[in-house]
Amino acid sequence: MTSKFTDFVTVFLIQLVLTIPFYTTNVYSLTISDVKVTKVTASTAVIEWNTDTAANGKVKYGQTTSLGFTQRHEDFVVEHSVTAMSGINSDTTYFFSVESTDANGTIAVNNNSGSFFTFRTSDITPPPQVTGLKAVSTTSDSV
């Protein structure tokens, strides 16, 4: 009977050693999903994403893939929203990535598999003034 008990304990310990790395990987992972841009204006863009665990958030953005600007929030939430507003110009394309860090210090970054996400700000440049018009004939409802 002792031999069977020893065999059982041995098999149990081997299974435990083999499964703990998989369990801890799943417990401490942080995943970013549903990255999107909302409410784009000529000088701001709201960037939103979700995480599977409460975390803070950071958006890095810029006119090139070198990025250059950062906006963040320090709240530990699963639905993130950050407004990019520093260095934003109208009628310009921006590249961005998002990053979150949970309470354990686990960091997740989503840069769209190295392609970066993009948004384009609104164009607020007025069209040039129309000149050289001349009325040839007029009626009560047309010119």
Side-chain angles (χ1 to χ4, degrees), residues 8-30:
F8 172 77
V9 170
T10 303
V11 169
F12 175 76
L13 289 175
I14 290 170
Q15 288 178 339
L16 186 61
V17 167
L18 293 175
T19 59
I20 283 179
F22 296 110
Y23 176 72
T24 56
T25 298
N26 290 335
V27 170
Y28 296 112
S29 68
L30 178 63

Side-chain angles (χ1 to χ4, degrees), residues 118-134:
T118 61
F119 66 88
R120 185 167 187 84
T121 53
S122 306
D123 180 7
I124 59 168
T125 306
Q129 175 106 17
V130 178
T131 59
L133 297 178
K134 182 169 103 175

Side-chain angles (χ1 to χ4, degrees), residues 6-142:
T6 304
D7 290 346
F8 172 77
V9 170
T10 303
V11 169
F12 175 76
L13 289 175
I14 290 170
Q15 288 178 339
L16 186 61
V17 167
L18 293 175
T19 59
I20 283 179
F22 296 110
Y23 176 72
T24 56
T25 298
N26 290 335
V27 170
Y28 296 112
S29 68
L30 178 63
T31 304
I32 294 173
S33 62
D34 301 323
V35 179
K36 61 187 169 197
V37 181
T38 62
K39 303 174 191 161
V40 178
T41 69
S43 59
T44 63
V46 177
I47 299 166
E48 300 175 350
W49 70 97
N50 296 327
T51 52
D52 60 344
T53 304
N56 61 24
K58 181 187 328 183
V59 175
K60 294 180 180 180
Y61 62 95
Q63 294 180 24
T64 68
T65 56
S66 298
L67 307 180
F69 293 98
T70 301
Q71 296 288 147
R72 66 180 70 228
H73 75 80
E74 297 302 329
D75 303 324
F76 283 84
V77 296
V78 294
E79 294 179 353
H80 305 267
S81 180
V82 172
T83 303
M85 56 189 162
S86 295
I88 299 287
N89 300 312
S90 71
D91 194 27
T92 305
T93 298
Y94 289 88
F95 298 88
F96 73 94
S97 68
V98 296
E99 178 179 313
S100 286
T101 305
D102 68 13
N104 295 321
T106 304
I107 299 172
V109 176
N110 190 335
N111 62 7
N112 199 20
S113 300
S115 298
F116 294 93
F117 298 97
T118 61
F119 66 88
R120 185 167 187 84
T121 53
S122 306
D123 180 7
I124 59 168
T125 306
Q129 175 106 17
V130 178
T131 59
L133 297 178
K134 182 169 103 175
V136 178
S137 67
T138 61
T139 66
S140 62
D141 61 355
S142 68

